[in-house]
Amino acid sequence: MHRRHFLGTLAASGVLPRTALSQQAPDVLTAATHRQQILPAGYPETTLWSFDAAFPGRPLRARQGDRLALDVVNDLPQPTAVHWHGLRLDNAMDGVPYLTQAPIQPGETFTYEFDLPDAGTYWYHSHAQSMEQVERGLYGPLIIDEINPPDVDQDLTLVLDDIRLNQDGTIGEFGNFHDLSHAGRIGNLWLANGQIDPAYPIKRGERIRLRLISAANSRIFTLGLAGLEGWIVALDGMPLADPQELPDQITLAPAQRMDLIVDVTTDDDEAFLITFERDGGYAIAHFPVSGAPSPKRAKPDALPANPDFPIDLQNARAATLLIEGGAMGGMRAASVDGEQLGARDLAQRGLFWALNGTAGRPEDPLLDLKLGESVRIGMANDTAFPHAMHLHGVHFAEVLPDGSLGPLRDTILLNPQETREIAFQAHNPGDWLFHCHMLAHHQAGMGTWIRVSA
Ligand code: C2O
Ligand code: CU
């Protein structure tokens, strides 16, 4: 508490003493079982796995330019590791078991410590058995404040999830072949910040920064706002150069984030965040409204840009990624640890998806890039299901059909049979995972990696 206040004051005065900060003792974050009421009152509580006995995990907040130091204590019955999703950080701190670190065994502690060059909306989550561990609750928001944040009346983070719970409050079994080979583990309950349709009071005339984070295992949210009007100002943590008027419906795939700046314009006494489902729209969170009527205000300025690593498309190395497999996909064989296996043998090992003909993380990287090199990767989704492809360690831009570059992202959705191209500069050395963030798909083979050699 005091430390945050202290940082806030010093940062505002522009004399942030960096060395003093990095000598602070690390903060502690404990992963352990935890019980919480998720189902409506009258139903049993749910046993979760969570960070610091909270679901979502304790919000982590720091300021751009800070250094984060955290001792992660594993009090779970399984090994774990923590990934700081979307951060362009030191590779050794990226939290991927057997790629960047050994998993943290039960009873052990691992110290994560890294610089925070970028401001924005990120999240942290377990990257070990993630289909199970994230579903059980091992995730939380990670907010990096701009040195000069935009002027808003409220800054509200909504971590969205869809969890699959039984009526007795238990979390169902994991890894059934249907989840692995179809759309992934889809839940039966929508949650915002761990609650069913929570309420956040707002006033007319207020300007609100809404940070939406999807922690869903596999569900692709189609969302809309009722009673609030505004702009999209950032995607996956990265500011848009020009804020975009908020459309009626926005898509948030697993792991994606969206920062909105909205004005409270409704005359009604409630506003809503709506999830659009096949049979209509449902409130996933609502906002009791008070105060005197007030119109929408002027368009906000763009958020201050994060450090830029320009992409040299002309001289970029070109690569392709073929996504195959899944039910109705017709994948006949794939290589696993160098061995060619037929579909039946793959299924026996719980493998249903392949990237460039390989199921599971291959021994050799998809690409071995030189530091500073630019690359473009054409991705083809030759399956009957959507996939949310996430690259660690860098943000990429989509190469749009007219050859221009779209906004920076760290996770991109490919619909069935869709082809998309991304490009980035390999500015961050290390071994970076590249995988589907439908966590059941990752578990069932959809993961590869990229090496950036210094
Ligand atoms: Cu959100 Cu590989 O992670
Ligand atoms: Cu997928």
Side-chain angles (χ1 to χ4, degrees), residues 386-388 436 438 441 446:
H387 303 287
C436 181
M438 272 77 172
H441 294 175
M446 276 190 79

Side-chain angles (χ1 to χ4, degrees), residues 182-183 323 353 385-389 436-442 446:
H182 289 69
I323 303 170
W353 308 91
F385 295 92
H387 303 287
M389 294 301 295
C436 181
H437 221 287
M438 272 77 172
L439 299 173
H441 294 175
H442 183 208
M446 276 190 79

Side-chain angles (χ1 to χ4, degrees), residues 408-422:
L408 291 173
R409 301 215 73 144
D410 61 43
T411 306
I412 185 172
L413 184 63
L414 280 93
N415 283 314
Q417 299 303 322
E418 207 169 52
T419 298
R420 292 191 161 205
E421 190 177 29
I422 58 169

Side-chain angles (χ1 to χ4, degrees), residues 83 85 123 125 127 255 390 392 433 435 437:
H83 174 54
H85 184 116
W123 63 301
H125 63 82
H127 215 299
H390 169 48
H392 287 213
L433 200 63
H435 66 97
H437 221 287

